Amino acid sequence: MNDWTVSTKFSKKWRLASSFVSFVVGYTSHLFAKRFNKTKIINIDSFNKILHDRPKGKPLITVCNHDSCCDDPVVFGAILPLSTFLTPEKPTLRWTLAAKEICFSQPFHSLVFRLGKVLPIVRGDGVYQPIMNQVLDDLNKGDWVHIFPEGKVNEKKEYIRLKWGVGRLVADAKITPVVLPFYHYGFDDILPNKQPYRPQMGQKATIVFGEPIYFDDMVRNLKEKQLSAIEIRKQITNKIEEEFYKLKEYARSFHEDHVKQIK
């Protein structure tokens, strides 16, 4: 099972199986985001520009809030063209992390999640656990990695200090990644966080993209000051957190207006 649960190398067999799983999941997510429910997307040009037009080899990290178990993949079903899911080996489809004890508890679950470009993270094992090194390898190839920096489903939408893992990735990548935050509301209406956990129809969701954050100068200055690795990743994460929670307020306003609109 190691080839399927850990390796991120795209053999022909892996590529075909990943294309099938990614497209089925992506198409289903698109239906729930755009057809069965109504998702409004604000500032999508910011995302498209950084996804497609950033310099070759420049890694991308996106970060967003985590309100529902359907955030990934339904958010990405809303923002990505369906053709993207047919070529998962390209950096236009994200890598992401999911809790190992939940999503990788059974061999079949591990297989499906890995084919969907999901890597197993062990919550509580820190920023230097082996899978984080693997994520760095993908970033060093110029890939796109998506992170839920709250570290869990935040059902109450309360303030949570962002986990420092994202700061470590920015600090330690060979080429400093660009970070694009976005914030969403309404996906916990599409899949409520309560039993019987059934997807709903006729709901409204909103996704608001911020502007890209370039850390090249900041990372260089922090390292020139010879600060500790802990302090460097802390300051980087603090910067992301500041923009993250500013965006939350914008997204709340846009979503309230969206909900008020006549269907």
Side-chain angles (χ1 to χ4, degrees):
M1 288 296 296
N2 284 343
D3 180 56
W4 295 97
T5 59
V6 178
S7 176
T8 59
K9 295 180 180 179
F10 286 89
S11 65
K12 183 176 181 180
K13 178 175 65 173
W14 200 104
R15 188 163 55 246
L16 289 172
S18 182
S19 296
F20 175 77
V21 169
S22 296
F23 185 78
V24 169
V25 174
Y27 182 71
T28 303
S29 299
H30 176 82
L31 289 177
F32 272 96
K34 307 289 280 187
R35 305 299 180 187
F36 302 153
N37 299 281
K38 187 175 182 180
T39 300
K40 185 174 185 178
I41 306 171
I42 308 296
N43 201 25
I44 186 67
D45 289 345
S46 177
F47 170 68
N48 286 331
K49 183 176 181 180
I50 206 69
L51 180 62
H52 297 290
D53 298 337
R54 69 187 188 276
K56 185 176 180 180
K58 184 74 168 177
L60 170 63
I61 298 176
T62 53
V63 295
C64 79
N65 54 309
H66 199 7
D67 292 349
S68 168
C69 290
C70 80
D71 292 341
D72 189 336
V74 179
V75 166
F76 297 103
I79 66 176
L80 292 172
L82 289 176
S83 58
T84 303
F85 299 100
L86 292 172
T87 53
E89 73 277 9
K90 294 184 178 181
T92 48
L93 185 61
R94 94 286 171 267
W95 288 100
T96 193
L97 297 164
K100 184 176 182 180
E101 72 276 12
I102 296 173
C103 299
F104 294 80
S105 58
Q106 300 294 331
F108 178 73
H109 297 165
S110 297
L111 174 62
V112 171
F113 278 102
R114 278 294 301 109
L115 290 172
K117 296 184 72 172
V118 182
L119 297 170
I121 191 83
V122 180
R123 291 184 289 192
D125 272 16
V127 301
Y128 289 106
Q129 58 183 285
I131 203 66
M132 291 292 284
N133 295 329
Q134 189 169 337
V135 174
L136 267 179
D137 288 342
D138 291 317
L139 288 171
N140 289 334
K141 298 173 188 174
D143 278 357
W144 166 25
V145 174
H146 179 74
I147 302 289
F148 291 105
E150 293 165 301
K152 66 176 184 177
V153 175
N154 186 0
E155 296 182 27
K156 297 181 180 179
K157 299 180 177 64
E158 59 191 353
Y159 168 77
I160 295 177
R161 285 193 60 85
L162 303 189
K163 304 300 182 184
W164 289 357
V166 65
R168 188 244 160 160
L169 294 175
V170 172
D172 289 356
K174 292 179 180 178
I175 299 177
T176 304
V178 56
V179 176
L180 181 67
F182 64 96
Y183 210 97
H184 57 77
Y185 278 93
F187 286 92
D188 53 342
D189 293 323
I190 294 175
L191 182 63
N193 295 311
K194 58 184 179 182
Q195 293 182 342
Y197 304 111
R198 290 176 182 168
Q200 304 296 303
M201 299 185 185
Q203 305 299 316
K204 290 186 176 182
T206 307
I207 303 170
V208 180
F209 284 95
E211 296 301 324
I213 309 170
Y214 293 92
F215 282 96
D216 304 71
D217 291 341
M218 181 178 182
V219 169
R220 182 170 55 253
N221 291 337
L222 292 173
K223 290 182 177 179
E224 286 176 353
K225 292 178 181 178
Q226 298 184 337
L227 299 181
S228 68
I230 292 175
E231 185 61 29
I232 290 173
R233 62 177 177 262
K234 177 184 176 183
Q235 290 196 30
I236 292 170
T237 306
N238 286 348
K239 174 62 176 175
I240 295 172
E241 182 177 301
E242 178 183 351
E243 299 302 320
F244 182 87
Y245 283 111
K246 283 181 185 177
L247 199 56
K248 178 180 181 178
E249 299 309 312
Y250 286 117
R252 189 203 311 272
S253 177
F254 279 116
H255 184 62
E256 288 174 352
D257 290 342
H258 186 201
V259 170
K260 292 176 184 177
Q261 291 174 357
I262 299 174
K263 296 183 179 180

